[in-house]
Amino acid sequence: MTAPTTRSRRLIAIPLGMAMATALAFLPNVSASAAPAADAAGATGAADVAEQISAAATPLSYVVNVRPGHGISSQVKKAIAKAGGTIVTSYDRIGVIVVHSSNADFAKTIRQVRGVESAGSTRTAPLPAQSTTDVGTPRALSAEEIADVDAVAGQDPLEPLQWDLPAIKADKAHEKTLGSKKVTVAVIDTGVDDTHPDIAPNFDREASVNCVSGKPDTTDGAWRPSAAESPHGTHVAGEIAAAKNGIGVTGVAPGVKVSGIKVSTTAGFFYTEAVVCGFMWAAEHGVDVTNNSYYTDPWYFNCKNDPDQKALVEALTRATRYAEKKGTVNVAAAGNENYDLAADEITDPVSPNDSTPSDRVIDPSECLDIPTQLPGVVTVSSTGAKGIKSSFSNHGLGVIDIAAPGGDSTRYQTPAPPATSGLILGPLPGGSWGYMAGTSMASPHVAGVAALIKSTHPHASAALVKALLYAEADATPCTDPYDIDGDGKVDAVCEGSKNRNSFYGWGTADALDAVTK
């Protein structure tokens, strides 16, 4: 079947704040408001500024893939220079070179060079976009709402509003353990505000970095978002590891460490070179779990029969596999278009998102959402407060590995009191808290459970952590018929058995089993 195309993670040619607000508007009972305007360069890391300057001087960036482990041969170096390319950095252990060039034929030329296995442009034009897998701007909690919450002994002040914690038995898990400070989860995202009181106690500065240019920038604070940028990464980090410290909310694994690896530009792009840098940084800095709540620009689906897109898939496949070999579990959001990722074909209306998109029909087994569909990556679908698939969540038999709370319209899935919103509550930059929804919010719940498993089994390999994650999940049968809006029409078809199906994979993540089995 062809998946519906009415929902998109971005709206092309609309300013970022407006695009995010408009994307949120399809959810009933959710307020949508444009992000506040601010100086795009203010408070950003040096890599962001460098990226903006680079975009003006060199229209495109490329990845060039060569044989791993041998460095760049002199022949390839000379060929890159001759073709008008400048090497930004290289990841020799996986054979990925990041190059800038203003030569429109650079990739075509360099692919003919002996020793080059693939090469492709990571973008089609330096224009704004946003690729996070949330469904809009957050709704911040008001002072009145905060004052109205009545927490019981042992709860953080806003924990009664977090219906998502008991949904995966995280509240019961916390009675056993909060997780180990020897475990670090890296949030590869829009940046993390490590000054937030819910995040600061657990923040791992040594494992944090700005990777926007494709080359690590370790300037202090370079991992933080500016006031003009999305709060997405901060919210995600809090969902994973907000400290149980008598302030705000509680994370799924409030005793583990969390780091920020910033990979999105101020305009909201998640380019391949930045994401490769993020995975490599995590692999080399002892990160146990990465969370990836985005897709890599500019293609929603990267088709391997296109030489440029093939190179992007290859570069990120190498990076994710390298990270896993180093012991890192990579967790990713499934996306918010209600696509069946196991369908014979899908209509992709948003690619390339940085220039002129057009409808194209793709085979999702050949054209991949990266890193979500890469081998070894844990792919997470979203559930709402009633425990069924969120209205927006992508699905697919054999594609979805596990499910977790990501929120949904409060009208579609109303939580039990004292919770009042069907969305997910988490920290926002600047010391506040707010609601967001999306598979972006589901993925960090699974990353948190994986961190609890690693805390319980400190010597477990990445493969074993994943195996336990799936084995300990609560089998969740298909929702059939699935009519989330109650209009009498089926909104998606679930396939498979109770123990493994297209909506929930191996089941719903279970934090209690993670710390007791």
Side-chain angles (χ1 to χ4, degrees), residues 5 13 68-69 114 159 164 175 230 288 306 344 381 396 420 428 443 451 471 481 492-493 503 514:
T5 60
R114 183 178 179 182
E159 192 174 340
D164 48 305
E175 295 174 5
S230 171
D288 299 286
D306 177 277
D344 293 333
S381 64
T420 58
L428 301 177
S443 181
V493 176
F503 277 15

Side-chain angles (χ1 to χ4, degrees), residues 281-505:
W281 179 271
E284 299 293 352
H285 288 80
V287 166
D288 299 286
V289 183
T290 67
N291 185 83
N292 304 272
S293 293
Y294 58 90
Y295 70 86
T296 308
D297 292 298
W299 306 94
Y300 191 138
F301 297 98
N302 294 263
C303 298
K304 290 178 280 188
N305 61 355
D306 177 277
D308 283 293
Q309 294 167 50
K310 175 184 176 181
L312 308 188
V313 173
E314 177 62 27
L316 273 173
T317 298
R318 293 183 183 190
T320 55
R321 282 179 170 168
Y322 180 77
E324 185 166 356
K325 286 179 181 178
K326 295 285 283 187
T328 305
V329 176
N330 300 310
V331 181
N336 300 335
E337 285 66 46
N338 195 26
Y339 285 152
D340 179 356
L341 296 175
D344 293 333
E345 61 182 36
I346 290 174
T347 299
D348 170 16
V350 300
S351 301
N353 70 318
D354 61 351
S355 54
T356 305
S358 61
D359 284 4
R360 58 173 187 158
V361 178
I362 62 94
D363 177 350
S365 68
E366 295 294 331
C367 301
L368 306 181
D369 175 352
I370 56 177
T372 295
Q373 289 180 273
L374 293 181
V377 174
V378 178
T379 305
V380 184
S381 64
S382 174
T383 57
K386 295 300 184 185
I388 64 174
K389 188 185 86 69
S390 302
S391 56
F392 49 78
S393 181
N394 289 351
H395 48 100
L397 187 61
V399 179
I400 300 302
D401 294 311
I402 194 168
D408 203 351
S409 161
T410 304
R411 180 167 69 85
Y412 294 165
Q413 300 194 56
T414 306
T420 58
S421 172
L423 310 188
I424 304 296
L425 185 62
L428 301 177
S432 62
W433 294 266
Y435 288 106
M436 298 183 76
T439 55
S440 275
M441 282 63 250
S443 181
H445 283 76
V446 172
V449 173
L452 291 176
I453 292 173
K454 185 66 175 180
S455 298
T456 307
H457 304 278
H459 303 296
S461 65
L464 179 55
V465 171
K466 290 194 296 180
L468 291 171
L469 184 67
Y470 304 150
E472 294 168 0
D474 292 334
T476 307
C478 276
T479 305
D480 186 23
Y482 179 78
D483 177 16
I484 192 68
D485 55 6
D487 65 355
K489 298 178 181 178
V490 172
D491 296 308
V493 176
C494 184
E495 299 176 301
S497 66
K498 175 182 179 181
N499 293 319
R500 194 182 188 197
N501 58 60
S502 59
F503 277 15
Y504 312 107

Side-chain angles (χ1 to χ4, degrees), residues 250-283:
T250 301
V252 172
V256 306
K257 292 289 187 182
V258 65
S259 71
I261 299 180
K262 186 177 183 181
V263 296
S264 83
T265 68
T266 54
F269 278 115
F270 291 71
Y271 284 128
T272 297
E273 63 270 28
V275 179
V276 167
C277 171
F279 281 116
M280 295 302 290
W281 179 271

